[in-house]
Amino acid sequence: MTEKISTVFKDFAFKDSQLTLLAGPCAIESYETCAQVAEKLKEITEKLHINYVFKSSFDKANRSSADSDRGSGLEKGLAILERIKKNFDLPIVTDVHESYQCQPVSEVADVLQIPAFLSRQTDLLLAAAKTGKVVNIKKGQFMAPEDIKSATSKIDPITSKILITERGTSFGYHRLVVDMTGLIEMREAGFPIIFDATHSVQVPSAHGNHSGGNRDYAFPLMRAALEIGVDGIFAEVHPNPPEAISDADNQLYLSKIEPILVSANHIFQEHLASQEERSADGLL
């Protein structure tokens, strides 16, 4: 593990010794849905001593179909995220798709997330970095693990507050796979690694005009990533996933998330203890 979470999130007193979670509904549907998820996840993560960042997107700009619901939009979405941040005292992560969005989004969000499809967009990366906020780069489905260094090298002269998120790699048509050795290779970039458990089980365009997925595979992959050693987990969580406007097949049920986080936190702590033991024995 990189042990840089506390540096990246220094404004929030996050600890390297705690699992970090970026989670919430895929898209902003309403304040009420976001609040329900934020309240429950904050309760669970405080109990388990997990660093928590609330996640939801104001615009799903890369939907498969032009007819798909893209979410609340920039103005309304930021207003909802600002209410979540204030009412629940949580840091916020949300996607940016265009360079012009970075400054207004940075006035609310603490983490600007670069979608995987846009991970090579130089102007977007630079605009996000110049805000001074944390930049979470999701590795493109088309990129090899070592290619992520090209993305981070564009902005690390500007900011060191960088996260790298793995969300699966394209394997032929309509198929994503997760290369667990890639998580180790990406650590060589020198920044904390986050594993996206729910997008990694997505099946692109499975339903023709929208993606499918299998949420049942999310925790097994999460468990494997934590055993390998990652700094945090990204997960889409919704009160009623089948009714969600996006990623209905792979979002996790809010009512079922606590035992998943209990297990994930246990694996994280065991790996951390094992790593510290190997370090003390001179094996690292």
Side-chain angles (χ1 to χ4, degrees):
M1 295 182 189
T2 57
E3 298 187 353
K4 289 185 177 180
I5 287 290
S6 61
T7 301
V8 172
F9 289 106
K10 60 183 178 181
D11 296 335
F12 304 100
F14 277 15
K15 298 179 181 178
D16 297 323
S17 59
Q18 295 182 180
L19 176 64
T20 295
L21 175 70
L22 285 65
C26 176
I28 298 172
E29 299 170 11
S30 67
Y31 171 76
E32 289 72 23
T33 298
C34 287
Q36 185 178 350
V37 175
E39 182 176 29
K40 184 63 176 178
L41 288 182
K42 181 172 183 178
E43 174 191 327
I44 295 170
T45 53
E46 284 187 344
K47 181 167 57 177
L48 297 177
H49 303 290
I50 292 174
N51 303 321
Y52 176 46
V53 184
F54 177 83
K55 182 271 167 186
S56 200
S57 300
F58 58 81
D59 183 16
K60 304 303 293 184
N62 56 355
R63 299 303 303 272
S64 300
S65 170
D67 296 327
S68 297
D69 192 336
R70 290 174 52 167
S72 60
L74 179 63
E75 186 175 348
K76 183 178 178 181
L78 288 182
I80 290 173
L81 290 175
E82 189 168 29
R83 288 179 66 190
I84 294 295
K85 182 175 185 175
K86 178 181 178 181
N87 293 344
F88 297 98
D89 191 26
L90 289 171
I92 300 293
V93 54
T94 195
D95 297 295
V96 287
H97 295 88
E98 304 279 356
S99 298
Y100 77 84
Q101 295 175 341
C102 293
Q103 187 53 48
V105 170
S106 72
E107 294 172 10
V108 174
D110 306 280
V111 184
L112 274 57
Q113 184 163 276
I114 308 299
F117 285 128
L118 302 177
S119 55
R120 293 179 60 176
Q121 294 297 103
T122 302
D123 290 343
L124 179 61
L125 287 164
L126 292 175
K130 289 175 182 177
T131 66
K133 296 304 179 79
V134 179
V135 180
N136 181 27
I137 306 175
K138 302 191 96 174
K139 180 181 75 63
Q141 301 92 322
F142 47 85
M143 294 170 67
E146 61 270 21
D147 293 345
I148 197 64
K149 291 181 183 178
S150 296
T152 59
S153 67
K154 292 178 180 180
I155 63 172
D156 63 18
I158 301 172
T159 182
S160 61
K161 295 191 288 187
I162 300 171
L163 301 173
I164 299 171
T165 295
E166 166 62 47
R167 58 137 303 155
T169 301
S170 295
F171 185 73
Y173 300 120
H174 308 299
R175 178 78 173 176
L176 295 175
V177 297
V178 178
D179 175 9
M180 290 296 165
T181 62
L183 296 171
I184 299 172
E185 292 178 55
M186 285 191 292
R187 281 211 300 266
E188 295 177 6
F191 302 102
I193 303 300
I194 308 296
F195 178 66
D196 184 339
T198 50
H199 282 107
S200 291
V201 300
Q202 189 182 70
V203 182
S205 302
H207 300 297
N209 65 349
H210 64 281
S211 296
N214 191 333
R215 77 185 100 256
D216 292 340
Y217 298 158
F219 180 65
L221 286 176
M222 185 191 305
R223 184 172 60 221
L226 289 164
E227 291 282 6
I228 287 287
V230 293
D231 302 277
I233 294 296
F234 177 104
E236 299 166 303
V237 182
H238 194 281
N240 186 15
E243 297 299 320
I245 65 171
S246 62
D247 283 347
D249 291 349
N250 42 284
Q251 293 203 62
L252 302 178
Y253 282 88
L254 180 62
S255 61
K256 299 179 181 180
I257 195 65
E258 183 164 4
I260 291 174
L261 292 179
V262 168
S263 296
N265 195 43
H266 178 71
I267 296 168
F268 176 86
Q269 293 299 332
E270 280 199 333
H271 180 88
L272 188 63
S274 175
Q275 185 184 49
E276 290 173 348
E277 185 177 325
R278 292 196 303 274
S279 179
D281 292 340
L283 299 177
L284 289 180

